[in-house]
Amino acid sequence: MRAELVIVGSEMLRFGRRDTNADWLIEQLERLGIETSGRTLVRDDPARIAAAVRYAMEQAELIIITGGLGPTEDDRSRDGLAAALGLPLESDSEMLERLRLLLLSRGRPFGDNQAQQALRPRGAAWIDNPVGTAPGMILAHRDRLLAALPGVPEEMKPMFRAGLLPRLENSHGRAFHKRTLKVAGRTEPSVDEQMKDLYATPGVEVTILSGSEGIELHLVAELAESLERLEALMCERLGRDLYSRDDRTLPAVAGELLLELGKSLATAESCTAGMLAAAVTDIPGSSAWFRGGVVVYSDDLKIKLAGVREETLAARGAVSEEVARELAAGVRTCCGADYGIGITGVAGPGGGSEDKPVGLVHIALDDGEDAGHWRILQFGDRHLVRRRSVTAALDRLRRRLLDARDRRGAQ
Ligand code: ATP
Ligand code: MG
């Protein structure tokens, strides 16, 4: 079975709006083994919606529409859908009464606009909306299954799960197994090279992706055993470079290790200016292992707040191994943490020089006894350089914690 998405909403065509509904739906469908063959994004215009639905029906057996189901003038998906199918729109008196009571109970008026939510193409069934007012609808028409859901993601998702998913599972019956292997501290070509003889494994589809949080290998298989067999092989090859096989993020993995070992972390950041601290505090419960950190952008604050020595700064410059090490050691001591991380670098686009080019980042990790340092040269724009620095720092920490855990285990 194949699916087509028709995403309705003029606002979704404006700069900066992300169509997260399609992302989410594509993932849900993939899990069912349903391939999405296309997605059309149209403004709130019944003729455009109808044309998109008609086209979608030529391409696939399942058509999902989101958006344009509300009570306002510009919510036109009902009309578009009915026009595409050549079916009349009919008002359902039972739904009308339900909506009237629902709105009354919330002290809201019930007018013509509200009443249009009780209209559906002849033959369509309702999908209840547990969150908002606009109900969704589903209907089978000439070997096609069509569903219309609201645009608000918090409404759309539960309605897909309750109204559409069971139907797709029954008719389709092939639940696909998925796994994401996340890798840090490696480049995409090197992982690709290491894995490519496994890509042709029968029954499993493998894709490799690179992002600011490392490399991901996506495995999809119809049979759990085929997936598990390949997963085990890949994990063995990746060793410590693999940090997650269950969707956990790098900060979450590092945090769990800190928690397990009963250790704490503090950060002193120059070029990432708090991005590392923000990433770790994004993890619920991070207060159990994250002590705090400082953003020390200027030289004098590196001295005042993070214990960097004036002589070091003068002799080596702010972007240097020595300053990274002193940041890590300084913040560890001043925050009373077990581990300190220091980051300093040239994020660009300006400020680079021949011996300190844009993308050069020094990361240090200090635990009082052992101080590690890494000089990393990254490509990409300012934002990417900063995000990758956070990833690199967390990965160094993770590896150090794995070593500490091994040592503890050996004792
Ligand atoms: P209602 O009017 O009942 O809220 P609706 O079906 O009319 O629902 P829309 O008016 O199309 O929904 O969208 C409401 C809001 O939902 C949008 O402003 C937007 O924030 C969000 N939204 C709509 N479509 C999408 C989408 N494809 N991806 C992410 N968010 C969306
Ligand atoms: Mg709306």
Side-chain angles (χ1 to χ4, degrees), residues 152-182:
V152 182
E154 294 72 27
E155 300 178 20
M156 187 278 289
K157 292 177 188 177
M159 291 168 74
F160 173 86
R161 286 202 190 95
L164 206 51
L165 190 61
R167 191 127 169 199
L168 296 176
E169 279 168 345
N170 285 343
S171 66
H172 201 63
R174 287 194 307 168
F176 269 58
H177 301 272
K178 266 181 72 175
R179 194 82 79 241
T180 302
L181 305 182
K182 297 188 183 180

Side-chain angles (χ1 to χ4, degrees), residues 7 11-12 17-21 67-71 75 134 150-153:
I7 308 295
E11 76 277 13
M12 298 311 298
R17 298 302 292 263
R18 270 199 59 212
D19 175 12
T20 58
N21 281 353
L69 276 190
D75 288 319
V152 182

Side-chain angles (χ1 to χ4, degrees), residues 294-305:
V294 287
V295 174
V296 281
Y297 226 52
S298 61
D299 285 358
D300 61 315
L301 286 186
K302 288 185 178 68
I303 297 168
K304 244 190 258 170
L305 297 179

Side-chain angles (χ1 to χ4, degrees), residues 15-126:
F15 176 73
R17 298 302 292 263
R18 270 199 59 212
D19 175 12
T20 58
N21 281 353
D23 281 351
W24 189 85
L25 284 168
I26 288 170
E27 191 194 354
Q28 300 300 310
L29 295 169
E30 249 178 38
R31 280 194 196 157
L32 295 162
I34 300 173
E35 182 204 346
T36 303
S37 56
R39 122 170 73 161
T40 316
L41 186 48
V42 289
R43 62 189 159 92
D44 297 289
D45 170 356
R48 289 296 301 267
I49 299 168
V53 172
R54 259 186 242 117
Y55 179 75
M57 289 173 73
E58 288 166 16
Q59 306 302 318
E61 300 83 55
L62 171 66
I63 294 94
I64 303 178
I65 305 162
T66 80
L69 276 190
T72 55
E73 272 311 306
D74 61 1
D75 288 319
R76 307 302 297 273
S77 290
R78 274 174 288 269
D79 317 58
L81 178 58
L85 303 174
L87 295 171
L89 269 180
E90 295 175 341
S91 183
D92 173 19
S93 54
E94 224 171 275
M95 180 54 78
L96 199 62
E97 187 57 15
R98 260 174 63 189
L99 288 171
R100 203 179 61 80
L101 291 175
L102 180 70
L103 285 162
L104 273 180
S105 74
R106 296 183 188 176
R108 301 229 303 261
F110 188 80
D112 287 349
N113 276 348
Q114 308 294 335
Q116 75 170 5
Q117 295 178 101
L119 292 170
R120 59 180 170 182
R122 180 177 291 167
W126 295 118

